[in-house]
Amino acid sequence: MTIADIMQTAPVIPVIVVDEIEQAQPLARALVEGGLRVLEVTLRTPAALDAISAMREVDGAIVGAGTVTNQQELADAIAAGSEFIVSPGLTEPLGKAAIREDIPFLPGVATAGDVMRGLDLGLTHFKFFPAMAAGGLPALKALAAPFGQCRFCPTGGITLANAPEWLAFDPVLCVGGSWVAPRGPVDETNVSHLAREAADLSR
């Protein structure tokens, strides 16, 4: 499965923060049931790596690690069973390591220089981050214009209300959003409802 395949699985990739390992499987089940199979677990808590391993056991889930910032975190995420890697930015050592490991990789970009660094490594799919703080959709349109071969997953400040506008822009394959996976105790019914709303967004 390529990063392009993963990005086209559903219009929204949940950006997930797991504080307690007990939350991992119920959250994954609810999101998958609602139609969001691609799950990005951010490496922002001590429970994250165990959560990735636990979520991998949920039928239909495609589980990856987010907030991967260096080669050690990349190695740890892969060891935990991550099927793809998302990073907030792009460094050459991290990019080369992800390519060497032959794992789908979605690095964060916010400038033309970032995109060019990725292209030099052979990468064409990027996370536009932080999407709203970096100038919103007008900024992405300007950034995407010289790079027709590139595709994007805007993340950061995306909501159910503004997601359709982003998804209507052809180079955007999906968006990343935390609203579908509220932090804390898991209300599976609510999460499934939020996931279903997100999965129904048209691209």
Side-chain angles (χ1 to χ4, degrees):
M1 185 174 268
T2 66
I3 195 65
D5 295 331
I6 288 167
M7 290 169 75
Q8 292 174 93
T9 301
V12 179
I13 296 178
V15 178
I16 299 165
V17 180
V18 178
D19 294 294
E20 307 288 342
I21 186 61
E22 295 77 21
Q23 297 165 359
Q25 287 193 347
L27 187 55
R29 274 197 307 270
L31 288 165
V32 170
E33 185 183 313
L36 300 182
R37 296 176 51 218
V38 177
L39 311 178
E40 177 193 333
V41 181
T42 60
L43 301 189
R44 297 181 192 176
T45 67
L49 293 169
D50 288 338
I52 289 168
S53 301
M55 287 181 170
R56 279 291 310 271
E57 297 172 17
V58 173
D59 278 352
I62 302 166
V63 187
T67 325
V68 174
T69 62
N70 57 54
Q71 294 181 70
Q72 184 58 57
E73 289 176 351
L74 174 73
D76 292 344
I78 291 171
S82 295
E83 295 171 88
F84 63 94
I85 299 294
V86 183
S87 67
L90 175 59
T91 65
E92 195 170 309
L94 180 59
K96 285 184 170 174
I99 291 163
R100 192 167 58 242
E101 294 290 346
D102 196 27
I103 188 162
F105 179 49
L106 189 65
V109 298
T111 68
D114 293 339
V115 175
M116 289 161 65
R117 192 178 314 122
L119 290 171
D120 282 346
L121 292 168
L123 304 169
T124 56
H125 289 66
F126 302 101
K127 172 168 91 162
F128 178 56
F129 177 82
M132 293 304 290
L137 187 54
L140 179 58
K141 285 183 174 178
L143 181 64
F147 305 112
Q149 70 274 55
C150 297
R151 296 294 176 265
F152 299 92
C153 173
T155 305
I158 309 295
T159 65
L160 182 66
N162 67 20
E165 192 181 359
W166 289 93
L167 291 164
F169 182 45
D170 278 350
V172 170
L173 296 184
C174 61
V175 299
S178 55
W179 86 88
V180 290
R183 195 166 178 174
V186 181
D187 176 342
E188 289 192 53
T189 304
N190 181 50
V191 171
S192 283
H193 170 72
L194 293 172
R196 206 164 290 117
E197 279 184 327
D200 285 344
L201 291 170
S202 59
R203 278 171 291 180

